[in-house]
Amino acid sequence: YTTIADRYLEVSGDQDLDTIRGFIKKYELTFPVYLDSGALQSRFVVQSLPTAFLVDRHGQVREVFIGNTSEETLRKKIVALLDEPDSH
């Protein structure tokens, strides 16, 4: 992989495009941000925001973070997952 941002995406339930664009600009996000009308929140039974899902290269949810999670924690978990050997 080149950077963690290449393996990350944000899903926002906020439908106000100006708010989303402002957030992206303020935090200089370099990864994709997708809008969710509620379908993903329902599918993954999201009951609290923010919620982060760590998904492996095979599409399996490996860990769920409910509430604010530090960038350092997410980075360590993502790096550890990316460093795992591909078992398929």
Side-chain angles (χ1 to χ4, degrees):
Y1 63 96
T2 54
T3 67
I4 290 174
D6 293 334
R7 301 290 184 160
Y8 182 85
L9 70 91
E10 175 83 15
V11 178
S12 176
D14 190 335
Q15 296 300 306
D16 181 53
L17 290 178
D18 290 333
T19 300
I20 294 167
R21 286 183 182 123
F23 184 86
I24 291 168
K25 184 175 181 178
K26 178 179 179 180
Y27 292 101
E28 301 176 348
L29 303 183
T30 59
F31 46 79
V33 176
Y34 296 94
L35 301 182
D36 177 33
S37 63
L40 282 176
Q41 291 180 38
S42 294
R43 183 173 180 183
F44 286 98
V45 194
V46 174
Q47 297 179 359
S48 179
L49 295 175
T51 298
F53 295 89
L54 187 59
V55 180
D56 68 18
R57 64 182 57 132
H58 304 291
Q60 299 297 310
V61 175
R62 297 284 296 272
E63 195 159 353
V64 178
F65 302 90
I66 299 172
N68 292 326
T69 305
S70 73
E71 179 180 350
E72 180 181 350
T73 297
L74 289 174
R75 183 177 302 277
K76 285 179 181 178
K77 297 283 187 171
I78 292 168
V79 167
L81 189 61
L82 291 172
D83 284 344
E84 288 182 2
D86 187 0
S87 59
H88 289 104

